[in-house]
Amino acid sequence: MGEDGRREVEEAWYYISTSTAELREITKMERIGPHSHIQGLGLDDRLEPRSNSQGMVGQGKARKAAGMVLKMVQEGKIAGRAILFAGPPSTGKTAIALGMAQTLGQDVPFTIIAASEVFSLSMSKTEALTQALRRSIGVRIKEETEVIEGEVVEIQIDRSLTGATKTGKLTIKTTDMETVYDLGTKMIDSLSKEKVLAGDVIAIDKTSGKVTKLGRSFARSRDYDAMGADTRFVQCPEGEVQKRKEVVHTVSLHEIDVINSRTQGFLALFAGDTGEIKPELRNQIDTKVAEWREEGKAEIIPGVLFIDEVHMLDIECFSFLNRALEKELAPLVIMATNRGMSRVRGTKYTSPHGLPEDLLDRILIVSTKEYSPSELEQIVLIRAQEEDAQLGEDTLQTLASVARESNLRYALNLISTANMISKRRKSEKIEVADVKRAYEYFLDLTRSQEWLKGQAGKMIFEEGQQQSDDRMDQS
Ligand SMILES: Nc1ncnc2c1ncn2[C@@H]1O[C@H](COP(=O)(O)OP(=O)(O)O)[C@@H](O)[C@H]1O
Ligand SMILES: [Mg+2]
């Protein structure tokens, strides 16, 4: 890449830095998911697990281990390593991983994939894994940028006849000077989106075009009678209108890849449909990033890649991961599985947790255990609060015993359905009868399997499906 190529990559950061902010906004709007009650690992300063904190109950050893691992990540000591959470279904493996994600700082990347996502039609397995790994490595970039800051004197907008294009002028001043800028359509849109008026004090990032309203100028405080109570008044800035400022962005290697891959463009980040990225491009980007590090412009932040249901990966994926962990730029890889001894996919060999031995060798294993009745009760209660459901007398015990006899996840699902049933009969509380009806409408796995047996010959795809893989560990 020549001088020009380099500028291209640099421009990419600015686009990315705004688009990642928007992406975060989008992911924040999540509905009440099965783990939405988890806000962290619930550990104290000395990494000791509190019995019921941040939505977490029990599983103390695994939570503490998770906390220790995070500490090492934060101190930059553990890149290139791997952890495996192993334990029966519904023992909080995914929940603990999400608790870890919440504990890490805003700019430490944490990527979550289910192993089966790797098998997609649009890209090879190794490309899917490479993308996941590169999503989990952050690059913190320090940068000088030009900022225009001052009080708006006047905004003048001229529309073309069709209204499709707009041009305009922005007059902006400080206590010392006044400057007029020409405006294009994009900038006019940003200004009107922020509802910028004459008398507002604003800042414009010249490279990204981002407009920030800092407040209203004191000088204009008597212009209007009716002004919102929350209007913030600020002094008109002093000095130059245009200033240099240092800013810091964090983007992932994958985001830099996508933005610079000509065929995809940065919109692909939103669609999630990035296709394959050429290895040459990745090499160029890695070289560039290494240069930036040497120049002190960039810092690598190794993040975390969480691969859930990792036994679904096959031997090719495992050897690829093993090699990837040895590279210089590797994140911490956390895996979870509910398999005991089982076949490594793509081979005829059986191995602990369905992972090949060379990978097991470098892994720290953390086990999760079944919950006690009182822990199950507490988790059910936390979920009921999360879903704004009031539990009638004995309902808590009923749900907890379903959790014990069937499984926890099923019992938690019953809260939402029973809640709906109780609301339909205009009750404020979920009573045992509501849980019973939900229990009858929706089968748990054991009853579903019994029902399937009774349906012999009537359903399609029943033969050999389950034997073809080491699945159905509960059967
Ligand atoms: N220790 C815990 N504290 C609070 N909620 C938990 C805990 N463990 C599991 N849960 C909740 O129980 C459900 C099942 O747990 P999950 O993490 O999906 O189990 P696994 O991944 O081990 O199969 C999820 O809704 C999860 O948020
Ligand atoms: Mg899970």
Side-chain angles (χ1 to χ4, degrees):
M1 227 185 268
E3 261 313 297
D4 264 9
R6 169 172 179 160
R7 201 161 59 234
E8 219 167 80
V9 174
E10 286 180 349
E11 270 159 23
W13 302 337
Y14 309 128
Y15 278 111
I16 289 174
S17 66
T18 49
S19 59
T20 47
E22 280 166 44
L23 279 177
R24 292 220 170 93
E25 285 296 303
I26 295 168
T27 44
K28 258 194 233 151
M29 297 192 307
E30 208 184 284
R31 282 169 292 174
I32 305 180
H35 305 285
S36 57
H37 60 291
I38 306 285
Q39 289 127 32
L41 287 170
L43 305 175
D44 67 16
D45 297 341
R46 290 168 41 242
L47 299 184
E48 290 302 326
R50 297 196 172 97
S51 70
N52 181 339
S53 160
Q54 295 190 307
M56 278 284 189
V57 173
Q59 217 62 268
K61 271 195 192 154
R63 278 160 57 200
K64 176 161 186 173
M68 286 163 59
V69 169
L70 278 190
K71 187 113 203 162
M72 290 190 271
V73 171
Q74 279 157 345
E75 287 167 7
K77 282 188 195 155
I78 200 174
R81 298 276 201 89
I83 311 279
L84 176 70
F85 285 112
S90 270
T91 50
K93 300 180 294 293
T94 307
I96 291 174
L98 293 174
M100 293 173 82
Q102 305 232 343
T103 312
L104 283 171
Q106 260 287 326
D107 66 353
V108 182
F110 194 106
T111 314
I112 298 176
I113 61 167
S116 44
E117 285 171 42
V118 166
F119 302 92
S120 112
L121 288 177
S122 65
M123 61 180 86
S124 70
K125 297 178 278 191
T126 50
E127 171 69 15
L129 282 173
T130 305
Q131 293 196 3
L133 287 161
R134 288 175 75 85
R135 264 180 219 280
S136 318
I137 298 169
V139 186
R140 188 184 287 148
I141 297 159
K142 245 191 266 144
E143 199 116 53
E144 286 237 314
T145 179
E146 296 262 328
V147 180
I148 297 170
E149 202 175 280
E151 177 183 331
V152 177
V153 179
E154 192 187 7
I155 304 177
Q156 183 202 330
I157 297 168
D158 305 307
R159 279 165 219 277
S160 65
L161 280 177
T162 57
T165 54
K166 291 170 253 180
T167 53
K169 283 194 174 9
L170 169 72
T171 314
I172 198 164
K173 69 169 188 190
T174 64
T175 48
D176 303 304
M177 60 186 289
E178 189 170 297
T179 313
V180 181
Y181 291 94
D182 286 324
L183 300 175
T185 310
K186 224 178 123 196
M187 186 49 79
I188 293 174
D189 288 345
S190 323
L191 287 168
S192 48
K193 202 172 133 223
E194 292 299 318
K195 302 197 177 65
V196 173
L197 301 171
D200 286 338
V201 177
I202 62 170
I204 303 172
D205 183 327
K206 255 192 101 179
T207 25
S208 70
K210 190 175 175 337
V211 176
T212 318
K213 212 151 116 174
L214 305 173
R216 272 199 77 75
S217 167
F218 273 118
R220 297 285 197 116
S221 61
R222 262 167 294 158
D223 277 13
Y224 307 98
D225 304 329
M227 216 159 342
D230 54 351
T231 306
R232 212 176 102 198
F233 288 101
V234 293
Q235 296 291 356
C236 177
E238 298 170 356
E240 303 276 316
V241 168
Q242 204 156 315
K243 299 177 186 108
R244 295 187 78 75
K245 263 198 183 163
E246 184 167 275
V247 288
V248 178
H249 330 254
T250 305
V251 291
S252 74
L253 281 178
H254 175 69
E255 287 166 318
I256 303 184
D257 292 351
V258 171
I259 225 93
N260 288 287
S261 103
R262 276 252 157 266
T263 48
Q264 316 297 340
F266 83 106
L267 282 178
L269 277 178
F270 293 98
D273 173 24
T274 51
E276 300 220 349
I277 288 164
K278 292 203 181 73
E280 305 87 71
L281 176 66
R282 289 207 172 103
N283 288 339
Q284 283 171 353
I285 288 174
D286 289 352
T287 316
K288 252 314 140 216
V289 170
E291 257 174 58
W292 294 333
R293 282 172 85 180
E294 262 166 38
E295 293 163 12
K297 286 172 64 181
E299 194 186 328
I300 296 291
I301 307 172
V304 179
L305 169 60
F306 176 56
I307 309 177
D308 212 349
E309 314 294 343
V310 70
H311 49 265
M312 293 301 289
L313 293 182
D314 64 10
I315 187 71
E316 283 174 44
C317 296
F318 288 129
S319 6
F320 178 81
L321 268 183
N322 218 1
R323 261 177 293 131
L325 284 169
E326 264 153 22
K327 293 221 175 108
E328 203 210 344
L329 290 182
L332 167 71
V333 176
I334 300 178
M335 306 178 251
T337 182
N338 51 30
R339 298 301 140 100
M341 284 301 284
S342 67
R343 194 170 56 85
V344 180
R345 286 188 82 185
T347 72
K348 351 186 247 302
Y349 304 108
T350 304
S351 168
H353 312 297
L355 302 192
E357 259 169 42
D358 51 352
L359 187 58
L360 280 171
D361 269 353
R362 63 160 69 228
I363 283 178
L364 295 170
I365 300 178
V366 177
S367 66
T368 56
K369 303 190 174 52
E370 307 271 6
Y371 291 107
S372 73
S374 118
E375 287 166 345
L376 289 175
E377 228 170 71
Q378 291 177 61
I379 296 175
V380 168
L381 198 60
I382 291 176
R383 280 306 303 181
Q385 281 161 359
E386 177 73 17
E387 300 191 26
D388 271 332
Q390 308 282 337
L391 303 184
E393 226 176 300
D394 298 337
T395 310
L396 180 58
Q397 281 76 4
T398 308
L399 284 166
S401 68
V402 174
R404 222 164 37 237
E405 262 130 58
S406 174
N407 78 50
L408 174 59
R409 196 169 307 142
Y410 174 69
L412 298 183
N413 281 334
L414 283 187
I415 298 178
S416 345
T417 43
N419 196 22
M420 209 163 86
I421 293 170
S422 76
K423 287 230 167 80
R424 296 220 20 201
R425 55 174 193 85
K426 306 230 157 37
S427 162
E428 290 194 341
K429 287 181 177 171
I430 306 178
E431 302 296 345
V432 175
D434 300 313
V435 177
K436 271 207 180 116
R437 287 184 66 190
Y439 183 83
E440 282 157 15
Y441 288 149
F442 301 101
L443 302 181
D444 60 352
L445 187 57
T446 326
R447 281 183 296 148
S448 165
Q449 281 173 335
E450 270 161 27
W451 179 81
L452 276 173
K453 277 182 212 144
Q455 295 292 304
K458 292 187 204 145
M459 309 265 290
I460 44 174
F461 291 144
E462 52 190 321
E463 258 174 1
Q465 272 295 93
Q466 283 147 25
Q467 290 94 310
S468 71
D469 241 307
D470 312 308
R471 304 187 62 186
M472 307 300 282
D473 40 300
Q474 296 195 325
S475 59

